[in-house]
Amino acid sequence: MDIAFSGKAVLVTGAAHGFGRAIALAFAANGAKVFACDVNAEGLAETERLSDGAVSVFTLDVGDCAAVRAAIERTGPIDILVNNAGGVRGQVGRPIEDISESDWQAIFDVNVSGAFFMSQAVVPGMKAKGAGRIINISSGAGLGISLTGIQAYASAKAAQIGLTRQLAHELGPFGITVNNVAPGFVRSNPTTERQWHAMGEEGQQKLIQNIAMKRLGSADDIANAVMFFASEQAGWISGQVLSVDGGK
């Protein structure tokens, strides 16, 4: 299968490390004009360096609707949007009674509102072209439970999957597909590294034994799934959730 993106403008959020970086670099390697954003300027600079300047980076808080609109005015029309920004915002699992309103909202802002605002901003350009791809990166936590025990994270990722399905039906008549990649546990960033080490050897082995492939995946595995959803070969696939988790 020949997947290429020459002439396509791609925007990847949360691209300072992990999945977002791997996705941005994969698009650049396949000929796309890539824009990458994150709140982490230092990590973005490393993504740009690793791309040999093929990825254009800028800082952006995707939960800020006005800033998102201004960013899309600067980039111009986007053909492929990857809503990867998300995560737990430095939080750890705690009892429900210990969760503050701000803790809850912070995770929803980046994982759900960010995906909504970004999609809202790029859709007019996609409609004008009669084509487009939106790929949301959720999590196995959105289909089941979160290994972290963070209530807002599991809830936000489930909400993002619901948004994916709803937008697929709204935007399909305009030639725009909307799909979702749900990664399993991957050691791809500082947060997942802390989670991995916190499990201890017994917990690590238990996690691996619950995976059909009996091994962890990589950020490139997630990028490969995104490449497929973004490709011409996936033109009649929309509203779908692809679990990339080694098999459960």
Side-chain angles (χ1 to χ4, degrees), residues 74-105:
R74 294 193 299 272
T75 64
I78 297 297
D79 298 295
I80 301 164
L81 169 66
V82 183
N83 285 311
N84 171 72
V88 300
R89 303 300 290 266
Q91 297 184 39
V92 297
R94 291 168 290 159
I96 186 172
E97 58 268 31
D98 293 343
I99 309 303
S100 69
E101 179 181 356
S102 61
D103 288 339
W104 174 268
Q105 194 59 51

mmCIF file of all heavy atoms in Angstrom, residues 74-105:
data_model
loop_
_atom_site.group_PDB
_atom_site.id
_atom_site.type_symbol
_atom_site.label_atom_id
_atom_site.label_comp_id
_atom_site.label_asym_id
_atom_site.label_seq_id
_atom_site.Cartn_x
_atom_site.Cartn_y
_atom_site.Cartn_z
ATOM 1 N N ARG A 74 -3.435 31.704 10.622
ATOM 2 C CA ARG A 74 -2.029 31.807 10.222
ATOM 3 C C ARG A 74 -1.595 30.632 9.339
ATOM 4 O O ARG A 74 -0.841 30.826 8.385
ATOM 5 C CB ARG A 74 -1.127 31.883 11.461
ATOM 6 C CG ARG A 74 -1.306 33.147 12.288
ATOM 7 C CD ARG A 74 -0.180 33.301 13.307
ATOM 8 N NE ARG A 74 -0.121 32.192 14.255
ATOM 9 C CZ ARG A 74 -0.803 32.144 15.389
ATOM 10 N NH1 ARG A 74 -1.604 33.133 15.731
ATOM 11 N NH2 ARG A 74 -0.675 31.104 16.204
ATOM 12 N N THR A 75 -2.045 29.438 9.648
ATOM 13 C CA THR A 75 -1.609 28.266 8.865
ATOM 14 C C THR A 75 -2.292 28.202 7.513
ATOM 15 O O THR A 75 -1.744 27.675 6.547
ATOM 16 C CB THR A 75 -1.909 26.950 9.606
ATOM 17 O OG1 THR A 75 -3.324 26.793 9.755
ATOM 18 C CG2 THR A 75 -1.235 26.911 10.965
ATOM 19 N N GLY A 76 -3.506 28.735 7.431
ATOM 20 C CA GLY A 76 -4.290 28.556 6.222
ATOM 21 C C GLY A 76 -5.024 27.221 6.276
ATOM 22 O O GLY A 76 -4.972 26.494 7.281
ATOM 23 N N PRO A 77 -5.733 26.870 5.197
ATOM 24 C CA PRO A 77 -6.552 25.649 5.191
ATOM 25 C C PRO A 77 -5.734 24.401 5.502
ATOM 26 O O PRO A 77 -4.601 24.251 5.061
ATOM 27 C CB PRO A 77 -7.098 25.601 3.764
ATOM 28 C CG PRO A 77 -7.069 27.021 3.302
ATOM 29 C CD PRO A 77 -5.852 27.625 3.934
ATOM 30 N N ILE A 78 -6.343 23.521 6.279
ATOM 31 C CA ILE A 78 -5.721 22.270 6.688
ATOM 32 C C ILE A 78 -6.470 21.101 6.037
ATOM 33 O O ILE A 78 -7.698 21.046 6.070
ATOM 34 C CB ILE A 78 -5.755 22.125 8.227
ATOM 35 C CG1 ILE A 78 -4.933 23.229 8.897
ATOM 36 C CG2 ILE A 78 -5.267 20.743 8.654
ATOM 37 C CD1 ILE A 78 -3.451 23.208 8.565
ATOM 38 N N ASP A 79 -5.725 20.185 5.442
ATOM 39 C CA ASP A 79 -6.337 19.006 4.822
ATOM 40 C C ASP A 79 -6.530 17.871 5.816
ATOM 41 O O ASP A 79 -7.507 17.113 5.718
ATOM 42 C CB ASP A 79 -5.449 18.495 3.671
ATOM 43 C CG ASP A 79 -5.294 19.514 2.570
ATOM 44 O OD1 ASP A 79 -6.307 19.835 1.930
ATOM 45 O OD2 ASP A 79 -4.156 19.993 2.362
ATOM 46 N N ILE A 80 -5.598 17.733 6.752
ATOM 47 C CA ILE A 80 -5.619 16.623 7.708
ATOM 48 C C ILE A 80 -5.325 17.171 9.098
ATOM 49 O O ILE A 80 -4.280 17.784 9.319
ATOM 50 C CB ILE A 80 -4.572 15.549 7.348
ATOM 51 C CG1 ILE A 80 -4.829 14.993 5.949
ATOM 52 C CG2 ILE A 80 -4.561 14.430 8.387
ATOM 53 C CD1 ILE A 80 -3.651 14.221 5.366
ATOM 54 N N LEU A 81 -6.248 16.946 10.018
ATOM 55 C CA LEU A 81 -6.069 17.370 11.404
ATOM 56 C C LEU A 81 -5.941 16.141 12.285
ATOM 57 O O LEU A 81 -6.784 15.232 12.229
ATOM 58 C CB LEU A 81 -7.268 18.200 11.872
ATOM 59 C CG LEU A 81 -7.348 18.496 13.374
ATOM 60 C CD1 LEU A 81 -6.194 19.389 13.819
ATOM 61 C CD2 LEU A 81 -8.702 19.122 13.734
ATOM 62 N N VAL A 82 -4.901 16.120 13.111
ATOM 63 C CA VAL A 82 -4.743 15.052 14.094
ATOM 64 C C VAL A 82 -4.828 15.663 15.490
ATOM 65 O O VAL A 82 -3.943 16.404 15.914
ATOM 66 C CB VAL A 82 -3.408 14.308 13.925
ATOM 67 C CG1 VAL A 82 -3.329 13.151 14.935
ATOM 68 C CG2 VAL A 82 -3.247 13.785 12.506
ATOM 69 N N ASN A 83 -5.932 15.370 16.170
ATOM 70 C CA ASN A 83 -6.141 15.871 17.531
ATOM 71 C C ASN A 83 -5.503 14.904 18.519
ATOM 72 O O ASN A 83 -6.150 13.984 19.038
ATOM 73 C CB ASN A 83 -7.637 16.012 17.817
ATOM 74 C CG ASN A 83 -8.258 17.201 17.131
ATOM 75 O OD1 ASN A 83 -7.731 18.312 17.204
ATOM 76 N ND2 ASN A 83 -9.368 16.989 16.449
ATOM 77 N N ASN A 84 -4.207 15.129 18.766
ATOM 78 C CA ASN A 84 -3.458 14.259 19.668
ATOM 79 C C ASN A 84 -3.273 14.863 21.055
ATOM 80 O O ASN A 84 -3.052 14.130 22.016
ATOM 81 C CB ASN A 84 -2.084 13.947 19.061
ATOM 82 C CG ASN A 84 -1.180 13.232 20.036
ATOM 83 O OD1 ASN A 84 -1.373 12.061 20.345
ATOM 84 N ND2 ASN A 84 -0.180 13.955 20.551
ATOM 85 N N ALA A 85 -3.369 16.183 21.174
ATOM 86 C CA ALA A 85 -3.149 16.825 22.479
ATOM 87 C C ALA A 85 -4.090 16.232 23.514
ATOM 88 O O ALA A 85 -5.282 16.022 23.261
ATOM 89 C CB ALA A 85 -3.366 18.330 22.367
ATOM 90 N N GLY A 86 -3.559 15.946 24.685
ATOM 91 C CA GLY A 86 -4.385 15.354 25.733
ATOM 92 C C GLY A 86 -3.543 14.993 26.933
ATOM 93 O O GLY A 86 -2.527 15.625 27.206
ATOM 94 N N GLY A 87 -3.962 13.949 27.621
ATOM 95 C CA GLY A 87 -3.203 13.494 28.770
ATOM 96 C C GLY A 87 -3.876 13.819 30.083
ATOM 97 O O GLY A 87 -5.027 14.254 30.142
ATOM 98 N N VAL A 88 -3.124 13.623 31.152
ATOM 99 C CA VAL A 88 -3.688 13.738 32.498
ATOM 100 C C VAL A 88 -3.304 15.035 33.203
ATOM 101 O O VAL A 88 -3.652 15.240 34.363
ATOM 102 C CB VAL A 88 -3.292 12.527 33.368
ATOM 103 C CG1 VAL A 88 -3.806 11.234 32.758
ATOM 104 C CG2 VAL A 88 -1.770 12.463 33.576
ATOM 105 N N ARG A 89 -2.562 15.882 32.528
ATOM 106 C CA ARG A 89 -2.181 17.205 33.059
ATOM 107 C C ARG A 89 -1.490 17.098 34.420
ATOM 108 O O ARG A 89 -1.717 17.898 35.320
ATOM 109 C CB ARG A 89 -3.411 18.119 33.155
ATOM 110 C CG ARG A 89 -4.162 18.329 31.869
ATOM 111 C CD ARG A 89 -3.322 18.960 30.783
ATOM 112 N NE ARG A 89 -2.992 20.342 31.057
ATOM 113 C CZ ARG A 89 -3.709 21.391 30.608
ATOM 114 N NH1 ARG A 89 -4.794 21.182 29.874
ATOM 115 N NH2 ARG A 89 -3.334 22.606 30.879
ATOM 116 N N GLY A 90 -0.622 16.094 34.543
ATOM 117 C CA GLY A 90 0.158 15.943 35.758
ATOM 118 C C GLY A 90 -0.582 15.345 36.939
ATOM 119 O O GLY A 90 -0.015 15.240 38.038
ATOM 120 N N GLN A 91 -1.818 14.934 36.733
ATOM 121 C CA GLN A 91 -2.608 14.396 37.838
ATOM 122 C C GLN A 91 -2.336 12.903 38.046
ATOM 123 O O GLN A 91 -1.840 12.211 37.172
ATOM 124 C CB GLN A 91 -4.095 14.628 37.571
ATOM 125 C CG GLN A 91 -4.484 16.098 37.506
ATOM 126 C CD GLN A 91 -5.967 16.316 37.344
ATOM 127 O OE1 GLN A 91 -6.780 15.601 37.933
ATOM 128 N NE2 GLN A 91 -6.344 17.304 36.544
ATOM 129 N N VAL A 92 -2.700 12.430 39.214
ATOM 130 C CA VAL A 92 -2.596 11.009 39.563
ATOM 131 C C VAL A 92 -3.950 10.548 40.060
ATOM 132 O O VAL A 92 -4.834 11.355 40.392
ATOM 133 C CB VAL A 92 -1.515 10.763 40.645
ATOM 134 C CG1 VAL A 92 -0.142 11.153 40.130
ATOM 135 C CG2 VAL A 92 -1.844 11.536 41.926
ATOM 136 N N GLY A 93 -4.131 9.234 40.118
ATOM 137 C CA GLY A 93 -5.388 8.689 40.576
ATOM 138 C C GLY A 93 -5.643 8.994 42.047
ATOM 139 O O GLY A 93 -4.771 8.808 42.882
ATOM 140 N N ARG A 94 -6.851 9.488 42.341
ATOM 141 C CA ARG A 94 -7.258 9.809 43.708
ATOM 142 C C ARG A 94 -8.736 9.462 43.883
ATOM 143 O O ARG A 94 -9.468 9.356 42.892
ATOM 144 C CB ARG A 94 -7.069 11.307 43.987
ATOM 145 C CG ARG A 94 -5.615 11.775 44.056
ATOM 146 C CD ARG A 94 -5.546 13.292 44.028
ATOM 147 N NE ARG A 94 -5.908 13.794 42.711
ATOM 148 C CZ ARG A 94 -6.321 15.040 42.468
ATOM 149 N NH1 ARG A 94 -6.436 15.900 43.476
ATOM 150 N NH2 ARG A 94 -6.628 15.425 41.242
ATOM 151 N N PRO A 95 -9.211 9.321 45.112
ATOM 152 C CA PRO A 95 -10.633 9.068 45.340
ATOM 153 C C PRO A 95 -11.493 10.198 44.774
ATOM 154 O O PRO A 95 -11.077 11.368 44.756
ATOM 155 C CB PRO A 95 -10.749 9.004 46.872
ATOM 156 C CG PRO A 95 -9.379 8.641 47.335
ATOM 157 C CD PRO A 95 -8.444 9.309 46.374
ATOM 158 N N ILE A 96 -12.685 9.860 44.348
ATOM 159 C CA ILE A 96 -13.566 10.837 43.708
ATOM 160 C C ILE A 96 -13.802 12.061 44.587
ATOM 161 O O ILE A 96 -13.886 13.199 44.085
ATOM 162 C CB ILE A 96 -14.908 10.185 43.298
ATOM 163 C CG1 ILE A 96 -15.750 11.169 42.493
ATOM 164 C CG2 ILE A 96 -15.655 9.633 44.511
ATOM 165 C CD1 ILE A 96 -16.990 10.539 41.885
ATOM 166 N N GLU A 97 -13.887 11.866 45.903
ATOM 167 C CA GLU A 97 -14.183 12.993 46.781
ATOM 168 C C GLU A 97 -13.020 13.986 46.890
ATOM 169 O O GLU A 97 -13.195 15.095 47.409
ATOM 170 C CB GLU A 97 -14.596 12.518 48.177
ATOM 171 C CG GLU A 97 -13.583 11.657 48.890
ATOM 172 C CD GLU A 97 -13.789 10.170 48.662
ATOM 173 O OE1 GLU A 97 -14.272 9.791 47.560
ATOM 174 O OE2 GLU A 97 -13.446 9.394 49.571
ATOM 175 N N ASP A 98 -11.851 13.603 46.382
ATOM 176 C CA ASP A 98 -10.686 14.490 46.444
ATOM 177 C C ASP A 98 -10.476 15.295 45.160
ATOM 178 O O ASP A 98 -9.515 16.072 45.080
ATOM 179 C CB ASP A 98 -9.416 13.666 46.714
ATOM 180 C CG ASP A 98 -9.420 13.035 48.095
ATOM 181 O OD1 ASP A 98 -10.215 13.477 48.952
ATOM 182 O OD2 ASP A 98 -8.635 12.088 48.311
ATOM 183 N N ILE A 99 -11.337 15.123 44.174
ATOM 184 C CA ILE A 99 -11.152 15.780 42.882
ATOM 185 C C ILE A 99 -11.819 17.150 42.889
ATOM 186 O O ILE A 99 -13.027 17.266 43.132
ATOM 187 C CB ILE A 99 -11.735 14.926 41.742
ATOM 188 C CG1 ILE A 99 -11.219 13.482 41.814
ATOM 189 C CG2 ILE A 99 -11.405 15.560 40.391
ATOM 190 C CD1 ILE A 99 -9.726 13.339 41.773
ATOM 191 N N SER A 100 -11.039 18.184 42.579
ATOM 192 C CA SER A 100 -11.596 19.537 42.540
ATOM 193 C C SER A 100 -12.226 19.814 41.177
ATOM 194 O O SER A 100 -11.975 19.105 40.194
ATOM 195 C CB SER A 100 -10.502 20.571 42.805
ATOM 196 O OG SER A 100 -9.598 20.621 41.712
ATOM 197 N N GLU A 101 -13.030 20.849 41.126
ATOM 198 C CA GLU A 101 -13.648 21.257 39.858
ATOM 199 C C GLU A 101 -12.579 21.590 38.822
ATOM 200 O O GLU A 101 -12.696 21.229 37.644
ATOM 201 C CB GLU A 101 -14.551 22.467 40.093
ATOM 202 C CG GLU A 101 -15.229 22.981 38.825
ATOM 203 C CD GLU A 101 -16.088 24.196 39.071
ATOM 204 O OE1 GLU A 101 -16.230 24.601 40.243
ATOM 205 O OE2 GLU A 101 -16.618 24.756 38.091
ATOM 206 N N SER A 102 -11.525 22.281 39.253
ATOM 207 C CA SER A 102 -10.472 22.672 38.309
ATOM 208 C C SER A 102 -9.693 21.462 37.800
ATOM 209 O O SER A 102 -9.283 21.422 36.637
ATOM 210 C CB SER A 102 -9.531 23.686 38.953
ATOM 211 O OG SER A 102 -8.896 23.136 40.092
ATOM 212 N N ASP A 103 -9.479 20.469 38.664
ATOM 213 C CA ASP A 103 -8.804 19.245 38.231
ATOM 214 C C ASP A 103 -9.608 18.551 37.140
ATOM 215 O O ASP A 103 -9.066 18.105 36.129
ATOM 216 C CB ASP A 103 -8.626 18.277 39.408
ATOM 217 C CG ASP A 103 -7.572 18.739 40.396
ATOM 218 O OD1 ASP A 103 -6.720 19.559 40.014
ATOM 219 O OD2 ASP A 103 -7.615 18.267 41.551
ATOM 220 N N TRP A 104 -10.892 18.416 37.382
ATOM 221 C CA TRP A 104 -11.796 17.778 36.413
ATOM 222 C C TRP A 104 -11.786 18.540 35.090
ATOM 223 O O TRP A 104 -11.612 17.969 34.023
ATOM 224 C CB TRP A 104 -13.207 17.727 36.999
ATOM 225 C CG TRP A 104 -14.259 17.223 36.065
ATOM 226 C CD1 TRP A 104 -15.051 17.974 35.236
ATOM 227 C CD2 TRP A 104 -14.636 15.860 35.849
ATOM 228 N NE1 TRP A 104 -15.900 17.163 34.528
ATOM 229 C CE2 TRP A 104 -15.670 15.865 34.886
ATOM 230 C CE3 TRP A 104 -14.209 14.652 36.384
ATOM 231 C CZ2 TRP A 104 -16.285 14.691 34.437
ATOM 232 C CZ3 TRP A 104 -14.817 13.471 35.945
ATOM 233 C CH2 TRP A 104 -15.841 13.499 34.986
ATOM 234 N N GLN A 105 -11.951 19.864 35.181
ATOM 235 C CA GLN A 105 -12.095 20.670 33.972
ATOM 236 C C GLN A 105 -10.809 20.727 33.157
ATOM 237 O O GLN A 105 -10.849 20.762 31.916
ATOM 238 C CB GLN A 105 -12.542 22.093 34.330
ATOM 239 C CG GLN A 105 -13.027 22.898 33.138
ATOM 240 C CD GLN A 105 -14.203 22.237 32.444
ATOM 241 O OE1 GLN A 105 -15.187 21.872 33.097
ATOM 242 N NE2 GLN A 105 -14.112 22.071 31.133
#
